[in-house]
Amino acid sequence: MKKHVFLGMLLLFVLACKQPPQRDCTDFKTGKFSFTTTINGEEKTTYFTRTMDMEVDEFEGKIDSSTVRWINDCEYVLRNMNPKNMEEEKSIHIKILTTTDSTYTFEYNAIGDKRKFKGTAYKIH
């Protein structure tokens, strides 16, 4: 019994000392990035360039522009500048969850939609 309590305490101690995920968002506010997702079973890549107030995306040969409004260092809202339909009129909320030296993992959703999606963007140097 003492052995189980000791092992449990040791495991708890090790887990408590684990470093929290890195989240240095300032390096990802601007730059060139890529993001790959699966659509209908096929991998598709979007390339985008972001400044402090604008993001330009290239997807399947089409270029689109959005305004960027930063809420804080790790969250921002994208609003399509030239929406072609009602779906494109919805702003997108993006929250950076974790970072590494060249990537960030983020969560995103259309504002007003409870469904959230995750992705990883790669900074292109």
Side-chain angles (χ1 to χ4, degrees):
M1 177 71 169
K2 288 182 182 183
K3 182 178 179 181
H4 292 282
V5 171
F6 176 74
L7 289 175
M9 297 279 286
L10 181 62
L11 180 62
L12 182 63
F13 178 73
V14 169
L15 292 176
C17 293
K18 183 179 173 189
Q19 290 289 329
Q22 183 178 336
R23 192 172 182 221
D24 183 10
C25 304
T26 55
D27 290 342
F28 298 99
K29 282 187 156 186
T30 62
K32 294 182 180 187
F33 305 89
S34 69
F35 165 62
T36 301
T37 190
T38 302
I39 301 174
N40 297 326
E42 190 176 340
E43 282 198 350
K44 306 274 185 170
T45 301
T46 299
Y47 296 95
F48 57 98
T49 302
R50 185 169 51 241
T51 64
M52 286 301 290
D53 58 358
M54 182 181 270
E55 184 171 296
V56 178
D57 305 313
E58 181 186 336
F59 179 71
E60 295 187 328
K62 296 177 186 167
I63 296 174
D64 214 350
S65 300
S66 300
T67 60
V68 174
R69 181 176 56 85
W70 287 93
I71 298 168
N72 58 47
D73 280 345
C74 295
E75 292 182 67
Y76 60 99
V77 175
L78 292 175
R79 183 177 181 132
N80 193 316
M81 294 173 71
N82 302 299
K84 295 169 187 61
N85 55 48
M86 293 292 285
E87 190 67 27
E88 289 184 3
E89 286 184 18
K90 295 179 182 177
S91 295
I92 306 295
H93 175 256
I94 298 174
K95 180 178 183 178
I96 298 173
L97 303 172
T98 62
T99 62
T100 68
D101 60 340
S102 62
T103 68
Y104 66 90
T105 301
F106 61 98
E107 179 179 81
Y108 65 100
N109 67 300
I111 292 181
D113 189 343
K114 294 185 187 315
R115 296 174 299 159
K116 295 187 185 231
F117 304 94
K118 284 189 179 179
T120 300
Y122 296 83
K123 192 158 191 177
I124 301 169
H125 296 280

